[in-house]
Amino acid sequence: MSSKPNILLITSDQQHWNTIGAFQPEISTPNLDRLVREGTTFGRAYCPNPTCTPSRSSIITGMYPSQHGAWTLGTKLLEDRHTVGEDFKEAGYETSLIGKAHFQPLAGTPEYESKEAYPLLQDLDYWKGFHGPFYGFDHVELARNHTNEAHVGQHYALWLEEQGCTNWRDYFLPPTGTMDPEQTYKWPIPEKYHYNTWIAERTNARLEEHKKSETPFFLWASFFDPHPEYLAPEPWDTMYDPDKLTIPSLVPGEHDRNPPHFQLTQEEEPDFSHLMETGFGIHGYRSHLDYEYGAKKRLTEYDKKKLVAVYYGMISLMDKYIGRILDKLDELGLADNTLVVFTTDHGHFFGQHGLQAKGGFHYEDLIKLPFIVRYPGHVPAGRRSDAIQSLVDLAPTFLSFCGLPIPGSMSGVDQKKVWLGVKERARDHAICEFRHEPTTIHQKTYVDARYKITVYYNQTYGEIFDLQEDPGELHNLWDEPGYEGLKAELLLKYAWAELGKEPMPMPRIHHA
């Protein structure tokens, strides 16, 4: 096998940072716990945006959404953007992505075509012949649906048919399938046909091919869970007793000093029309007394417990298949020469602050991530670190570990020495962006070792939280008397951070 290290990135989708069994006794994740024992866990990792397309595009470009251009859901990462897969391919690596991409939207236009759009995503004849290239990945096997969404198609649907699951449409929503939209929590799909099974099986097939070719690889196994809807096949839907779990909830009065969109989420029929610009849906700007995506069905006390139980069940099911991948690395003798990173694209609310899912609410629940790094003999085992990480750091750090040059277009930080345990930290802050409309929903958060500040475009309100004294983020200090100096200091630090993350595509080579 080549001496060049392999890179295996394993991601979940919309996973709360505190859902790893090694640190949270109410959930069981034996395989993630294994990574914790064998690697370093970073407790202060952040996403650059709390939605899928922007954050996932940052992973492969090493750039912030405001830089790579896929600034919100419903946009695409333009094909002329440089991706880390291109650097690996040039260096002789094989590059693959199995599972969720979401670099492109569900609809395309003549100017902005999308391979992840209707009707192409369900043209199975097309997907029989397409495996890449796609954003620097030579080989892709894709799907687009979370649980039973009607967006099912692409390579996953082909695999279902190859497995003999000819009635696969029974497990997905209309108009693609025939599953009852009212059915919740239990997903009738057999586990052997679940997309976790597919992702692990196809990832392991790629690993076997890499072993045979003795070619170094950059492989992304991209899981869809635990992104809602809250659905799991049996027995995972009943693995956890809802009455034995700690269920987060709103603290009365906690939104009194927050910007107005926080309070509106707690109303029965909130009016967010003043924020609408593009006319497309805006995540999170709805009543959070309702189900995910604003379905007009009030969350009962049972629902508030059961959805957490199923969310945990989805994570435990995914953990089982992450274990299959880790076992395959061992079986093939690849583990010692493979840098494994587990993380997610952004976090999730399941009752914290009275919120569900995601949106323009930059609490730690939404922007902080689970983040584990394993590289036997290099990255310290069983270690925990508070060194701040960002998903924009993944691409440059991967290249650094492989001895490859880091393009000047990447504005992420090289974390290699931090991961190796020879340097305490590589950054003193993280930036999280959320721009969901051109002007009305546009915010950025600066977070350092102790404080967090969130600013809004063209607004005088904002948020400041002292994470040391107020880890639950219940007391917004933005307008608190006596904190004017802290606010001025944090605003200046945020301005410095914005200046500091501007990319330099080339070095200065002459005086003029």
Side-chain angles (χ1 to χ4, degrees), residues 146-183:
H146 310 99
T147 60
N148 67 340
E149 286 179 339
H151 315 320
V152 61
Q154 297 173 296
H155 299 105
Y156 175 47
L158 286 172
W159 177 83
L160 286 170
E161 294 190 348
E162 290 168 1
Q163 301 305 303
C165 184
T166 55
N167 67 323
W168 58 269
R169 293 178 184 271
D170 294 348
Y171 307 124
F172 300 93
L173 293 175
T176 302
T178 58
M179 184 174 166
D180 182 359
E182 296 299 313
Q183 183 169 347

Side-chain angles (χ1 to χ4, degrees), residues 424-450:
E424 187 174 346
R425 64 191 71 255
R427 54 163 71 242
D428 60 10
H429 69 274
I431 291 282
C432 183
E433 307 176 338
F434 185 69
R435 189 175 190 179
H436 213 28
E437 292 282 26
T439 65
T440 56
I441 304 177
H442 187 186
Q443 68 196 69
K444 294 193 181 184
T445 292
Y446 165 95
V447 57
D448 63 20
R450 176 170 178 175

Side-chain angles (χ1 to χ4, degrees), residues 33-177:
D33 294 358
R34 171 181 165 190
L35 285 180
V36 168
R37 290 192 305 272
E38 298 173 354
T40 296
T41 302
F42 291 93
R44 296 293 305 280
Y46 290 90
C47 64
N49 184 293
T51 56
C52 295
T53 299
S55 212
R56 290 169 175 273
S57 297
S58 290
I59 288 174
I60 60 171
T61 62
M63 302 174 75
Y64 290 85
S66 57
Q67 297 165 341
H68 61 58
W71 56 277
T72 191
L73 296 170
T75 67
K76 67 181 285 187
L77 181 63
L78 298 176
E79 284 86 352
D80 64 353
R81 299 304 189 256
H82 183 83
T83 67
V84 70
E86 298 170 42
D87 299 308
F88 278 116
K89 286 165 58 179
E90 188 175 336
Y93 277 66
E94 294 180 349
T95 60
S96 304
L97 168 61
I98 309 295
K100 177 174 178 174
H102 205 172
F103 305 136
Q104 299 183 346
L106 284 166
T109 67
E111 185 178 3
Y112 302 105
E113 295 180 350
S114 172
K115 288 189 183 300
E116 300 188 57
Y118 286 97
L120 185 63
L121 74 86
Q122 294 180 333
D123 181 350
L124 300 191
D125 286 335
Y126 174 84
W127 293 102
K128 285 178 183 176
F130 181 82
H131 289 280
F134 193 59
Y135 290 104
F137 295 102
D138 274 330
H139 182 89
V140 295
E141 297 181 41
L142 305 177
R144 193 61 170 76
N145 55 291
H146 310 99
T147 60
N148 67 340
E149 286 179 339
H151 315 320
V152 61
Q154 297 173 296
H155 299 105
Y156 175 47
L158 286 172
W159 177 83
L160 286 170
E161 294 190 348
E162 290 168 1
Q163 301 305 303
C165 184
T166 55
N167 67 323
W168 58 269
R169 293 178 184 271
D170 294 348
Y171 307 124
F172 300 93
L173 293 175
T176 302

